[in-house]
Amino acid sequence: MSKPRLPGDLTPAQVIERMLRVDHAGEYGAKRIYDGQLAVLKTAPAAPTIRHMAEQELKHLAAFNKLLPQRRVRPTILGPLWHAAGFALGAATALLGEKAAMACTEAVEEVIDAHYTKQLETLEAMAAEGKAEPELAQMIEQFRAEEIEHRDTAREAGAAEAPAYPALSQGVKAATRAAIWLSERI
Ligand SMILES: [Fe+2]
Ligand SMILES: [Fe+2]
């Protein structure tokens, strides 16, 4: 009987390593996006909403900050890039207005929801092979639920009314997917 294959035929340890590396990078990027948004919109009506989401991202980031050294996983070398690019993305969209900032959040969180869902499927496949990671799975499930909340909050705040919404949304999604791809690998 052939064994179920892990993504790219990585070992279970390599799969977990990639997962932690990319999730840590992503939560750091999320923090920086909200930093950028708040730098521009600190007194705007949307500021408390953005601040609430930013606080949840800080908790997500803190969890991965703790897990990486525990599991001896090296963070991505792209940290400085996400530091700058995340902030720039947040600030640039916020400069287009609150709705554009929300369109950015909606687009990022849509991609992150899909990303965490895929990871949960991988963890399930690993559990079926006797390599269960119940604590990690539970954590990712909780974070995923909060990212979905962020996406919905952004939608309710009028993301779709942003200027050039389709192009903005597609662009942010493509950038987020590229950032994920890179952070898994380097
Ligand atoms: Fe997050
Ligand atoms: Fe989020």
Side-chain angles (χ1 to χ4, degrees):
M1 201 179 86
S2 70
K3 280 164 100 184
R5 290 153 69 114
L6 292 167
D9 286 329
L10 302 169
T11 67
Q14 286 169 324
V15 170
I16 296 296
E17 196 182 316
R18 274 194 176 192
M19 250 183 220
L20 295 180
R21 180 174 302 125
V22 67
D23 292 353
H24 173 253
E27 297 298 349
Y28 184 70
K31 171 201 175 326
R32 291 299 288 164
I33 290 172
Y34 289 121
D35 285 349
Q37 290 185 349
L38 284 168
V40 175
L41 297 170
K42 46 180 170 291
T43 59
T49 306
I50 298 173
R51 227 165 257 132
H52 170 72
M53 296 192 281
E55 277 161 19
Q56 286 179 320
E57 302 301 356
L58 283 181
K59 285 182 197 151
H60 301 172
L61 177 60
F64 287 111
N65 270 339
K66 214 172 118 187
L67 258 180
L68 261 68
Q70 269 176 11
R71 308 290 290 253
R72 295 173 200 282
V73 172
R74 150 186 89 66
T76 174
I77 61 165
L78 298 172
L81 177 60
W82 304 147
H83 179 84
F87 188 91
L89 180 63
T93 51
L95 283 167
L96 295 173
E98 288 182 65
K99 303 252 156 102
M102 291 300 165
C104 169
T105 298
E106 182 201 32
V108 170
E109 300 295 16
E110 229 179 273
V111 173
I112 299 306
D113 169 29
H115 166 74
Y116 276 151
T117 300
K118 215 171 101 191
Q119 286 194 341
L120 288 167
E121 286 166 5
T122 301
L123 288 171
E124 243 174 68
M126 285 174 60
E129 282 185 61
K131 302 268 179 198
E133 291 276 355
E135 279 166 39
L136 182 60
Q138 200 191 6
M139 196 177 111
I140 291 175
E141 186 60 64
Q142 186 208 322
F143 294 174
R144 175 177 164 260
E146 288 170 358
E147 313 301 6
I148 291 172
E149 265 176 47
H150 299 169
R151 182 201 65 196
D152 292 345
T153 300
R155 271 185 196 157
E156 282 154 26
E161 294 153 37
Y165 173 71
L168 179 62
S169 181
Q170 286 311 309
V172 172
K173 281 184 204 169
T176 307
R177 285 192 197 104
I180 290 172
W181 192 89
L182 284 167
S183 301
E184 279 176 337
R185 287 162 179 83
I186 48 179

